[in-house]
Coordinates of all heavy atoms in Angstrom, one line a residue:
L18 N 138.5 99.2 194.5 CA 139.4 100.2 193.8 C 140.6 99.4 193.4 O 141.0 98.5 194.1 CB 139.8 101.3 194.8 CG 138.7 102.1 195.4 CD1 139.2 103.1 196.4 CD2 138.0 102.9 194.3
Q19 N 141.2 99.7 192.2 CA 142.2 98.9 191.7 C 143.3 98.5 192.7 O 143.7 97.3 192.8 CB 142.9 99.6 190.5 CG 143.9 98.8 189.8 CD 143.4 97.6 189.0 OE1 142.8 97.7 188.0 NE2 143.6 96.4 189.5
G20 N 143.8 99.5 193.4 CA 145.0 99.3 194.3 C 144.6 98.5 195.5 O 145.5 98.0 196.2
H21 N 143.3 98.3 195.8 CA 142.8 97.5 196.9 C 142.4 96.1 196.4 O 142.6 95.1 197.1 CB 141.6 98.2 197.6 CG 142.0 99.4 198.4 ND1 141.9 99.4 199.8 CD2 142.4 100.6 198.0 CE1 142.3 100.6 200.2 NE2 142.6 101.3 199.2
S23 N 143.4 94.4 193.8 CA 144.4 93.5 193.3 C 145.1 92.7 194.4 O 145.1 91.4 194.3 CB 145.6 94.2 192.6 OG 145.1 94.8 191.4
T137 N 146.0 96.7 202.7 CA 146.6 96.7 201.4 C 147.8 97.7 201.3 O 148.4 97.8 200.2 CB 145.6 97.0 200.3 OG1 145.0 98.2 200.6 CG2 144.5 95.9 200.3
T248 N 144.6 90.9 187.5 CA 143.6 91.6 188.3 C 143.2 93.0 187.8 O 142.5 93.7 188.5 CB 144.1 91.7 189.8 OG1 145.3 92.4 189.7 CG2 144.3 90.4 190.4
S249 N 143.7 93.3 186.6 CA 143.5 94.6 186.1 C 142.0 94.9 185.8 O 141.3 94.1 185.2 CB 144.3 94.9 184.9 OG 144.2 96.2 184.5
E253 N 144.5 96.3 179.3 CA 145.9 96.6 179.2 C 146.4 96.8 177.7 O 146.0 95.9 176.9 CB 146.7 95.5 179.9 CG 146.5 95.4 181.4 CD 147.1 94.2 182.0 OE1 147.3 93.2 181.2 OE2 147.3 94.2 183.2
Y271 N 159.6 104.8 182.9 CA 158.1 104.5 182.9 C 157.4 105.4 183.8 O 157.9 105.7 184.9 CB 158.0 103.0 183.3 CG 156.5 102.6 183.6 CD1 155.6 102.6 182.5 CD2 156.1 102.2 184.8 CE1 154.3 102.2 182.7 CE2 154.7 101.8 185.0 CZ 153.9 101.8 184.0 OH 152.6 101.5 184.2
S273 N 153.7 106.5 185.5 CA 152.3 106.2 185.7 C 151.9 106.7 187.1 O 152.7 106.5 188.0 CB 152.0 104.7 185.6 OG 150.8 104.4 186.3
F274 N 150.7 107.3 187.2 CA 150.2 107.8 188.5 C 149.1 106.9 189.0 O 148.2 107.5 189.7 CB 149.9 109.3 188.3 CG 151.1 110.2 188.3 CD1 152.3 109.7 188.3 CD2 150.9 111.5 188.3 CE1 153.5 110.5 188.3 CE2 152.0 112.4 188.3 CZ 153.3 111.9 188.2
G275 N 149.0 105.7 188.6 CA 148.1 104.8 189.2 C 146.6 104.9 188.7 O 146.4 105.5 187.6
S276 N 145.7 104.4 189.5 CA 144.3 104.3 189.0 C 143.4 105.4 189.4 O 142.2 105.5 188.9 CB 143.7 102.9 189.4 OG 143.7 102.9 190.8
I277 N 143.8 106.3 190.3 CA 142.9 107.3 190.8 C 143.4 108.8 190.6 O 142.6 109.7 190.3 CB 142.7 107.1 192.3 CG1 142.1 105.7 192.5 CG2 141.8 108.1 192.9 CD1 142.0 105.2 194.0
A278 N 144.7 109.0 190.8 CA 145.2 110.3 190.9 C 144.9 111.1 189.6 O 144.9 110.5 188.5 CB 146.8 110.3 191.1
V302 N 152.0 106.3 180.9 CA 150.6 106.0 181.0 C 149.8 107.3 181.3 O 150.0 107.8 182.4 CB 150.3 104.9 182.1 CG1 148.8 104.7 182.2 CG2 151.1 103.6 181.8
V332 N 150.4 105.6 176.4 CA 149.3 104.6 176.4 C 148.3 104.9 177.4 O 148.5 105.7 178.3 CB 149.9 103.1 176.6 CG1 150.8 102.7 175.5 CG2 150.5 103.0 177.9
K333 N 147.1 104.3 177.3 CA 146.0 104.5 178.3 C 146.2 103.7 179.5 O 145.9 104.2 180.6 CB 144.7 104.2 177.6 CG 144.4 105.2 176.5 CD 143.0 104.9 175.9 CE 142.7 105.9 174.9 NZ 141.6 105.6 174.0
W334 N 146.7 102.5 179.4 CA 146.8 101.6 180.6 C 147.8 100.5 180.2 O 147.6 99.9 179.1 CB 145.5 101.1 181.0 CG 145.4 100.3 182.3 CD1 145.3 99.0 182.5 CD2 145.5 100.9 183.6 NE1 145.3 98.7 183.8 CE2 145.4 99.8 184.5 CE3 145.6 102.2 184.1 CZ2 145.4 100.0 185.9 CZ3 145.6 102.4 185.5 CH2 145.5 101.3 186.4
A335 N 148.8 100.2 181.0 CA 149.8 99.3 180.6 C 149.8 98.0 181.5 O 149.2 98.1 182.6 CB 151.2 100.0 180.8
P336 N 150.3 96.9 181.1 CA 150.5 95.8 182.0 C 151.7 96.1 182.9 O 152.8 95.7 182.6 CB 150.8 94.6 181.0 CG 151.3 95.2 179.8 CD 150.8 96.7 179.7
Q337 N 151.4 96.8 183.9 CA 152.5 97.5 184.7 C 153.6 96.6 185.2 O 154.8 96.9 185.2 CB 151.9 98.3 185.8 CG 153.0 99.1 186.6 CD 152.5 100.2 187.5 OE1 151.8 101.1 187.0 NE2 152.8 100.1 188.8
Q338 N 153.2 95.4 185.8 CA 154.2 94.5 186.4 C 155.1 94.0 185.3 O 156.3 93.9 185.5 CB 153.5 93.4 187.1 CG 152.9 93.9 188.4 CD 151.8 93.0 188.9 OE1 151.8 91.8 188.6 NE2 150.8 93.5 189.6
L341 N 157.5 96.9 184.3 CA 158.6 97.1 185.3 C 159.6 96.0 185.2 O 160.8 96.2 185.5 CB 158.0 97.3 186.7 CG 157.3 98.6 186.9 CD1 156.5 98.6 188.2 CD2 158.2 99.8 186.9
T351 N 156.6 107.7 189.6 CA 155.3 107.2 190.1 C 154.7 108.2 191.1 O 155.4 109.0 191.7 CB 155.6 105.8 190.8 OG1 154.5 105.4 191.5 CG2 156.8 105.9 191.8
H352 N 153.4 108.0 191.3 CA 152.7 108.8 192.3 C 153.0 108.2 193.7 O 152.6 108.7 194.7 CB 151.2 108.9 192.1 CG 150.5 107.5 192.2 ND1 151.0 106.3 191.7 CD2 149.4 107.2 192.9 CE1 150.2 105.3 192.0 NE2 149.2 105.8 192.7
G353 N 153.6 107.0 193.7 CA 154.0 106.3 195.0 C 152.8 105.6 195.7 O 152.8 105.5 196.9
G354 N 151.8 105.1 194.9 CA 150.8 104.2 195.5 C 151.6 103.0 196.0 O 152.7 102.6 195.5
W355 N 151.0 102.3 197.0 CA 151.8 101.2 197.6 C 152.0 100.1 196.7 O 153.1 99.5 196.6 CB 151.1 100.8 198.9 CG 151.9 99.7 199.6 CD1 151.5 98.5 199.9 CD2 153.3 99.8 200.0 NE1 152.5 97.8 200.5 CE2 153.7 98.6 200.6 CE3 154.3 100.8 199.9 CZ2 154.9 98.3 201.1 CZ3 155.6 100.5 200.5 CH2 155.9 99.3 201.0
N356 N 151.0 99.7 195.8 CA 151.3 98.6 194.9 C 152.4 99.0 193.9 O 153.3 98.2 193.6 CB 150.0 98.3 194.1 CG 148.9 97.7 195.0 OD1 149.0 96.6 195.4 ND2 148.0 98.6 195.4
S357 N 152.3 100.2 193.4 CA 153.4 100.6 192.4 C 154.7 100.6 193.1 O 155.7 100.1 192.5 CB 153.1 102.0 191.9 OG 151.9 102.0 191.1
T358 N 154.8 101.1 194.3 CA 156.1 101.1 195.0 C 156.6 99.6 195.2 O 157.8 99.4 194.9 CB 155.9 101.7 196.4 OG1 155.3 103.0 196.2 CG2 157.2 101.9 197.1
E360 N 155.8 97.0 193.4 CA 156.1 96.4 192.1 C 157.5 96.9 191.6 O 158.2 96.1 191.0 CB 155.0 96.7 191.1 CG 153.7 96.0 191.5 CD 152.4 96.6 190.9 OE1 152.5 97.4 190.0 OE2 151.3 96.2 191.3
Y374 N 148.2 112.0 197.2 CA 147.2 112.0 198.3 C 147.4 110.7 199.1 O 148.2 109.8 198.8 CB 145.7 112.0 197.7 CG 145.4 110.7 196.9 CD1 145.0 109.6 197.6 CD2 145.7 110.7 195.6 CE1 144.8 108.4 196.9 CE2 145.5 109.5 194.9 CZ 145.0 108.4 195.5 OH 144.9 107.3 194.8
Q377 N 150.7 108.3 200.1 CA 151.8 108.4 199.1 C 153.0 109.2 199.6 O 154.1 108.9 199.2 CB 151.2 108.9 197.8 CG 150.3 107.9 197.1 CD 149.3 108.5 196.2 OE1 149.4 109.7 195.8 NE2 148.2 107.8 195.9
Ligands
LIG1 N1 148.4 99.7 187.0 C1 148.4 99.0 185.9 N2 148.5 99.6 184.7 C2 148.8 101.0 184.6 C3 148.8 101.7 185.8 C4 148.7 101.0 187.0 O1 148.2 97.8 185.9 O2 148.9 101.5 183.5 C5 148.3 99.0 188.3 C6 149.6 98.9 189.1 O3 150.3 97.8 188.6 C7 149.1 98.8 190.5 C8 147.8 99.5 190.5 O4 147.4 99.7 189.1 O5 149.0 97.5 190.9 C9 147.8 100.9 191.1 O6 147.9 100.7 192.5 P1 148.7 101.7 193.4 O7 148.5 101.3 194.8 O8 150.0 101.9 193.0 O9 148.0 103.1 193.2 P2 146.4 103.6 193.2 O10 145.8 103.3 191.9 O11 145.7 102.8 194.3 O12 146.5 105.1 193.5

Side-chain angles (χ1 to χ4, degrees):
L18 299 176
Q19 183 71 73
H21 288 248
S23 293
T137 57
T248 57
S249 185
E253 294 169 339
Y271 171 63
S273 159
F274 284 4
S276 62
I277 300 171
V302 176
V332 296
K333 291 182 174 163
W334 189 252
Q337 180 164 304
Q338 288 158 29
L341 288 169
T351 169
H352 69 314
W355 182 236
N356 293 284
S357 296
T358 306
E360 289 161 15
Y374 62 89
Q377 293 153 17

